[in-house]
Amino acid sequence: MRIHIIGTGLLGASLGLALSEQDHRVSLEDTSPTAQQLAADLGAGEVMPTGDQANDPQIVVVATPPDVAAPVIASALVTYPNATVTDVASVKTRLLEAVRELVHGSDLDRYIGCHPMAGREKSGAIAARSDLFTARPWVVCSDEDTPSDRLGEVVEMAEATGASVIHLDPRIHDAAVARVSHVPQVISSLVASQLRHAPLEEVALAGQGLRDVTRIAASDPRLWTQILTGNSEEVRSVLVELRTELDDVITALELGAGSTGVLAKAIALGNEGHDRIPGKHGQAPTKYAVVTILVPDTPGTLATLFKDIGDLDINVEDFRMDHAPGQKLGIVDVSVVPATQQELEIGLLSKGWQIPESAIEKEGIA
């Protein structure tokens, strides 16, 4: 396929890398010559001068910031009259409304909104990765009036990146991303902001829980301001619900004794929500057994650990690592199918690994 990408930031450059690896012909365009050339130098495609139709692209992908996407989409529909035009913006309803105000007639049939659910805390072409979309949802917003051949082209392009295509109505999409993406960003940023003036000795106590909650707090403020304002109605709705529950918790903490039920309910409801998050490969959530191993913070240790687990013919379902404060020691949590927990612990103990509070020690098997 011949694909032209307008905007060579993280998503645009990553898309170019992924498609180029699949031997699609990719051309690049950006208002910043430096950003455009950097993406090309990284292998995301070839530079094509603005408005050059010699390439006659089948698909034009608008990967610009959300606040300028609508006029760029409208311009692309005029500049490339034979192409299907799509975008990667994370807000769909307002963008579609804005495009409808700028584009009239049959040209609108050539526009299909998309949103690959992928990203990083880092931005720019230098942070691009060819596997950014692999195994990630790629939302396509179409309706009964969308020409099947153009829809097929967009789906083919998305699947070429390794993504899994999901078809959603724009409003359903915006409500969904408000809950699973936009509000988590706000909460992560607000929690991280509480660390600004905290004494260093307090911050030094940070464990993996804080790191998990605040990981995305390092995101680009300019981009997220555009995303949040573009989906303000849906984000506000979720935050109002959250505020009500937060007020209940604050009131319970003020009252103290006799209000523990409110606190317990808040945590329990969180358990229920957590259990609905899809498991591996988008499958139903699965409860895994967690085996904790203490490992020296030295080169090659993790490689040896995973080799030993592999030699036991046990699959690692998930993995996370924390670091012991003040010690060159790693705390590794390995998630496995519960039926293999005891076998893993016995096998690792026999190989000399340190497993604190292991189930076999509690049961007196070792």
Side-chain angles (χ1 to χ4, degrees), residues 280 286-291 314-318 334-344:
K280 289 177 60 178
T286 303
K287 294 287 187 181
Y288 296 120
V290 177
V291 176
I314 294 175
N315 188 54
V316 175
E317 305 294 338
D318 205 350
V334 174
S335 297
V336 295
V337 174
T340 66
Q341 178 183 4
Q342 190 175 101
E343 180 186 354
L344 177 60

Side-chain angles (χ1 to χ4, degrees), residues 219-294:
S219 299
D220 184 351
R222 292 174 298 176
L223 173 62
W224 273 98
T225 297
Q226 296 175 31
I227 292 173
L228 294 174
T229 54
N231 200 24
S232 58
E233 183 177 342
E234 297 293 350
V235 173
R236 180 186 179 280
S237 176
V238 179
L239 288 175
V240 167
E241 294 177 22
L242 185 61
R243 181 175 63 187
T244 300
E245 296 187 12
L246 184 58
D247 284 341
D248 290 341
V249 170
I250 293 172
T251 300
L253 293 172
E254 290 174 346
L255 295 175
S259 301
T260 56
V262 174
L263 303 178
K265 181 181 178 181
I267 302 301
L269 291 177
N271 292 164
E272 290 183 23
H274 179 270
D275 288 344
R276 299 193 67 195
I277 299 175
K280 289 177 60 178
H281 314 304
Q283 299 173 351
T286 303
K287 294 287 187 181
Y288 296 120
V290 177
V291 176
T292 300
I293 308 108
L294 302 182

Side-chain angles (χ1 to χ4, degrees), residues 309-322:
I309 296 174
D311 289 343
L312 294 170
D313 198 28
I314 294 175
N315 188 54
V316 175
E317 305 294 338
D318 205 350
F319 161 84
R320 62 184 290 173
M321 182 174 180
D322 199 0

Side-chain angles (χ1 to χ4, degrees), residues 59 66 87 105 120 147 170 177 184 193 210 243 250 305 322 345 352:
I59 300 177
D87 70 283
R120 302 183 66 189
V177 295
S193 74
L210 181 68
R243 181 175 63 187
I250 293 172
L305 172 62
D322 199 0
E345 291 184 345

Side-chain angles (χ1 to χ4, degrees), residues 38-73:
L38 174 60
D41 291 344
L42 292 172
E46 59 181 344
V47 174
M48 186 171 81
T50 302
D52 185 352
Q53 299 182 48
N55 187 39
D56 190 23
Q58 292 170 261
I59 300 177
V60 175
V61 182
V62 175
T64 62
D67 62 344
V68 297
V72 176
I73 291 168

Side-chain angles (χ1 to χ4, degrees), residues 293-302 321 328-331 353-354:
I293 308 108
L294 302 182
V295 300
D297 191 3
T298 54
T301 301
L302 284 178
M321 182 174 180
K328 296 196 68 176
L329 192 67
I331 304 170
W353 293 99
Q354 185 178 356

Side-chain angles (χ1 to χ4, degrees), residues 9-251:
L10 171 64
L11 292 183
S14 293
L15 179 59
L17 289 171
L19 294 173
S20 294
E21 284 189 358
Q22 297 299 316
D23 295 326
H24 294 288
R25 183 180 175 185
V26 180
S27 55
L28 306 171
E29 179 184 335
D30 197 290
T31 55
S32 167
T34 302
Q36 178 178 268
Q37 191 59 52
L38 174 60
D41 291 344
L42 292 172
E46 59 181 344
V47 174
M48 186 171 81
T50 302
D52 185 352
Q53 299 182 48
N55 187 39
D56 190 23
Q58 292 170 261
I59 300 177
V60 175
V61 182
V62 175
T64 62
D67 62 344
V68 297
V72 176
I73 291 168
S75 175
L77 287 168
V78 173
T79 304
Y80 307 101
N82 298 316
T84 300
V85 178
T86 185
D87 70 283
V88 295
S90 60
V91 177
K92 303 273 57 110
T93 305
R94 287 192 181 179
L95 178 58
L96 177 58
E97 292 171 350
V99 171
R100 282 174 172 164
E101 291 181 359
L102 298 170
V103 179
H104 304 284
S106 60
D107 279 348
L108 193 59
D109 293 338
R110 294 190 289 115
Y111 168 62
I112 300 174
C114 286
H115 178 208
M117 297 290 292
R120 302 183 66 189
E121 307 87 70
K122 302 176 181 179
S123 60
I126 195 64
R129 291 176 13 185
S130 62
D131 63 351
L132 186 69
F133 309 103
T134 302
R136 302 298 301 169
W138 186 299
V139 178
V140 176
C141 295
S142 59
D143 55 33
E144 62 276 4
D145 296 326
T146 303
S148 59
D149 55 338
R150 296 194 181 279
L151 179 59
E153 289 178 342
V154 171
V155 170
E156 180 184 350
M157 179 192 71
E159 291 179 340
T161 70
S164 299
V165 172
I166 298 175
H167 297 269
L168 288 179
D169 175 89
R171 293 189 181 279
I172 294 176
H173 164 274
D174 289 354
V177 295
R179 291 189 185 278
V180 305
S181 176
H182 301 171
V183 167
Q185 175 64 57
V186 173
I187 300 305
S188 177
S189 296
L190 292 177
V191 171
S193 74
Q194 297 302 305
L195 304 175
R196 289 172 299 154
H197 307 300
L200 291 179
E201 57 268 24
E202 291 184 10
V203 181
L205 298 176
Q208 194 60 40
L210 181 68
R211 292 185 175 90
D212 288 345
V213 171
T214 61
R215 179 182 63 82
I216 57 175
S219 299
D220 184 351
R222 292 174 298 176
L223 173 62
W224 273 98
T225 297
Q226 296 175 31
I227 292 173
L228 294 174
T229 54
N231 200 24
S232 58
E233 183 177 342
E234 297 293 350
V235 173
R236 180 186 179 280
S237 176
V238 179
L239 288 175
V240 167
E241 294 177 22
L242 185 61
R243 181 175 63 187
T244 300
E245 296 187 12
L246 184 58
D247 284 341
D248 290 341
V249 170
I250 293 172
T251 300

